[in-house]
Amino acid sequence: MQRRYPPSHRWRQAQSIDELAGMASKRLPAFAWEYLNAGAEDERTLNDNRSAFQRWQWRPRTLVDLSEIDSSATLLGRKCAMPLAIAPTGYNGMLWRDADIALARAAQQHDIPFTLSTVSCNSLEEVAAAIPTGRLWFQLYPLRDKQATRDLIARAQAANAEALVVTTDAVVLGRREWDSRSYLNPRRLTLRHTLDALCHPRWAAQALWPQGLPALGNLLKYLPAGQHSAASAATYISQQMATDLSWETLAEIRQQWSGKLIVKGILNVEDARHCQRLGADAIVVTNHGGRQLDDSPASLDCLPPIVDAVGQQLEILLDSGIRRGSDIAKALALGANGVLSGRASLFGLAVGGEAGASHALTLLQQQLHNTLALLGRPRLSQLDRDCLAPPLHLSSASSGYRTANALHEHPATMPSNSPTNDDMFLNLLRDGFGDSVLLGEEIPASCFSDWTSHAPCRPLALVRPATTDEVASLLRLCNEHSRPVVPQGGMTGLAGAAVPSADSIAISLGRLTGVESVDRDAATLTVRAGTTLQTVQDAAAEAGFRYPVDFGARGTCQIGGNIATNAGGHGVIRHGMTRDRVLGLEVVLADGRIVDLMNGMIKNNTGYDLKHCFIGAEGTLGIVTRAVLRLAPPKGETHTLLCGLPSYPAAVALLHRLRGAGLALEAFEVMWQDFYTMSCGWRDGQPPLPTSHPIYLLCEAEGEASHLETALESALASGEVEDAVLASSTTQARELWAIREATGEFPLKLAPINFDISLPIPTIGAFVEAASAMLTQRWPGIRIVNFGHIGDCNLHLTVDGHSLAKDTAETRHAIEAEVYRLVGDYCGSISAEHGIGLLKRDFLHHSVRPEALEVMRSLKHTLDPNGILNPGKLLG
């Protein structure tokens, strides 16, 4: 139905934002109206921003207590009257004199934040003075002039801006064809539009009189003398947009800005993850109001997958297309924490100044309040995807709501799943697996993250199968419905490989336990994947053997997880990694097929040894359910030795000497002085050796004691060893090992940034020196400790976050980037024994060549074409 709107001077009668827009179109000359309302090129994205909201329908509830309806919210940790902030918009003075101050005051009246644009007509200082009790956010366009950018940030801090909003999607302006038609050059109208402006005297008197087109107040101090006009400012900003804007630039901004950081212009999951890693507090999902790249997806369509990926770590705001309070409610139901709206308040401003903008905000708040009441959800916290029916452009039989971003994230794979499909799928899970399925609050927090505590997240469901057939049935169901699956063992991983996402099905193998058999003749043990390492070691010992893979988490970690991460540990120098102890596997593929590779023979040369595809694959190619493990003979006579050495080359020389002495080395642990001094300082009593040696070696060797003593005497005589202590009892040996095992206290006494890397043995000492010099130069005062099992090329480098001036996510990411870059320079591996998971995924290219990465991706696609197995891990 065509509605007739009141004339613009009767804006107080407007009942909707669209009415205010209709009034504004009459009051403003054509060029000003187009600047306010138009989009890029054919405006398909502009229009789709509105259509996206219309595609979702409500599922209201009745007979709900509506005596108290609360539309207040919390944005960036502070309460506000509704979950809305005024979005940054530039050159508002074209619509009303002192427009930015008017908008800021309207926001203050409604107890919501106001975002001031870099290209505002009123300056930061003017706006801050106008709203002394208001919430001011400042939007930054990073400029080519780095000093100007730094100055803008400093001015925002001086103005007590609560947040810095960095816009990332406008370094090149979109093709706004209406702009080209209106102007001969920046801010010089064509004759036709000049005449049109003269035909709007009320607008001209309010916006132009007496000084003409307003200047850009924030940029005046950066313009050349005598060139402060609107035209000069428009030319300046068009030339100053930082086309080299990068993640490194954002990291630098994060380092300079001490307040809340919001990154605006995010449309895909990977960029959202980057923002989280760099320490952003919030992101704005937006396509710049349809004014940049036409045919970009609607902002609302991009919201669900981004919420699922980072919604537990970041506040997520939605911008573009907000016209009604019900639009705000839909954004929150899909997972947003709040919304930004620019045009809505500008329509009100254009017809009524500050009072008009305030009226627009009142309409949105009233509509939101009414929506909550009619929906039967009187509080914002009750808004979730259950409130919404599937989008109208999908059939009811569709498996999910698939956006362009979901396609990009997982090509030819899983769509985002609508609330209805979530319910249907969970019903299928319960029907098929009964009490093995845990939902919601039933899921223990221990399943939310591993020992890294990285990005804890409750999965959609946790399933605990007890047999291989149940695992197969579960994967078959998840594959048919394109549901992401995250395998979980003992959750002791150190790379984030078992961290779930909000839409994933976590599969715990904690019920798939037990040692099935021990073959004494072949010295093998057959075990189910959920069995702990300690149980396997005890079973081996009972049979007269030992399982020599060992590390501190033995009582909690599971064999399936050890295999999935190719775990290492203390005895690698003699017995190898987990890969070297596995003879056979049983694996369930993504489509539910069970692959029996349960070989129990050391010699078995029958083509491709497929088991190695799954060892170290972190659950991305299949789920290990059973294994055949090689056992080792029990330990003979062992000796524990602690030495003080003059240098790293001396440690390498001692390694060769001990190997040539007829000794079997069980461990060869090197500790640099920084580590040894720190560890001894944490213990009572005198250190076993003085803390003055540059290098310390803790060695455990099996063999004749006389052989060790002879080798040690030779090493002392040659100067390889400066001082030594040989344990004379098991108790003394444990005391020496306690120095090396101080790593267990790192989480309590440090804020550790841990690096588990491998390097060629001859270069480890040089790497330690180069890394220390590089880190100290960039972060003065940084505290670094180094230790490692150098006999197997493994170095552990740990940075204490407490020693950093700012221990932030972006600082940690920058440190990781520098260390892993150096690892690549030294031809090393970014992961020696902890895997890749989430934490090292973005640095894998430093250690794996592009051709090899492509083969890995091809293998992933072959075995898991729908991408359901541990998506986002290892390869991303």
Side-chain angles (χ1 to χ4, degrees), residues 446 449-454 490-496 499 551-554 556-557 747:
S446 59
S449 189
D450 59 13
W451 278 11
T452 64
S453 298
H454 175 77
M491 301 301 285
T492 61
L494 295 172
V499 177
F551 32 84
R554 65 184 70 86
T556 306
C557 67

Side-chain angles (χ1 to χ4, degrees), residues 72-231:
S72 64
T74 300
L75 295 180
L76 298 185
R78 289 181 58 183
K79 290 278 286 185
C80 48
M82 58 177 161
L84 177 138
I86 293 183
T89 50
Y91 212 68
N92 296 328
M94 184 188 297
L95 308 177
W96 199 274
R97 186 183 299 115
D98 291 329
D100 303 298
I101 291 176
L103 289 169
R105 285 174 171 163
Q108 181 178 251
Q109 292 169 21
H110 285 266
D111 190 23
I112 63 171
F114 166 71
T115 315
L116 183 71
S117 170
T118 294
V119 289
S120 61
C121 295
N122 293 112
S123 69
L124 256 167
E125 292 75 14
E126 290 174 323
V127 173
I131 54 166
T133 61
R135 296 180 65 180
L136 176 62
W137 296 356
F138 179 64
Q139 176 269 333
L140 176 71
Y141 283 125
L143 305 176
R144 290 178 186 271
D145 185 343
K146 305 302 182 186
Q147 182 54 46
T149 300
R150 288 191 289 270
D151 187 57
L152 283 167
I153 296 173
R155 288 171 60 193
Q157 287 186 328
N160 293 320
E162 174 187 335
L164 187 71
V165 182
V166 181
T167 295
T168 63
D169 60 353
V171 293
V172 175
L173 292 181
R175 285 187 53 80
R176 303 169 188 177
E177 295 168 359
W178 47 267
D179 205 30
S180 299
R181 289 190 294 267
S182 299
Y183 296 94
L184 295 172
N185 57 41
R187 302 301 156 225
R188 183 183 174 192
L189 293 168
T190 64
L191 177 60
R192 182 170 67 87
H193 285 87
T194 300
L195 293 174
D196 183 39
L198 295 175
C199 293
H200 290 77
R202 291 183 180 176
W203 164 81
Q206 187 55 248
L208 301 185
W209 182 265
Q211 296 176 327
L213 290 172
L216 299 182
N218 275 330
L219 302 179
L220 289 180
K221 65 180 295 187
Y222 313 119
L223 296 174
Q227 298 183 30
H228 289 182
S229 67

Side-chain angles (χ1 to χ4, degrees), residues 465-505:
T467 67
T468 297
D469 287 339
E470 287 183 3
V471 175
S473 298
L474 178 57
L475 286 187
R476 194 175 303 116
L477 179 66
C478 291
N479 193 55
E480 289 171 356
H481 291 266
S482 297
R483 288 285 168 171
V485 168
V486 179
Q488 295 186 335
M491 301 301 285
T492 61
L494 295 172
V499 177
S501 58
D503 64 339
S504 65
I505 308 302

Side-chain angles (χ1 to χ4, degrees), residues 537 540-541 544-550 554 570-571 574-575 631-640 664-667 699-703 730 733 737 741:
Q537 291 174 334
F545 297 92
R546 64 177 167 137
Y547 182 65
V549 176
D550 186 38
R554 65 184 70 86
H570 303 310
R574 181 177 181 186
H575 301 285
L631 304 179
K635 274 186 181 180
E637 183 183 6
T638 59
H639 314 281
T640 303
L665 295 181
E666 285 284 334
C699 170
E700 188 170 284
E702 181 181 335
T730 302
W737 269 104
E741 292 175 347

Side-chain angles (χ1 to χ4, degrees), residues 280-298:
D281 298 284
I283 58 174
V284 182
V285 178
T286 179
N287 53 38
H288 212 95
R291 294 163 71 88
Q292 283 297 96
L293 179 63
D294 205 15
D295 289 326
S296 294

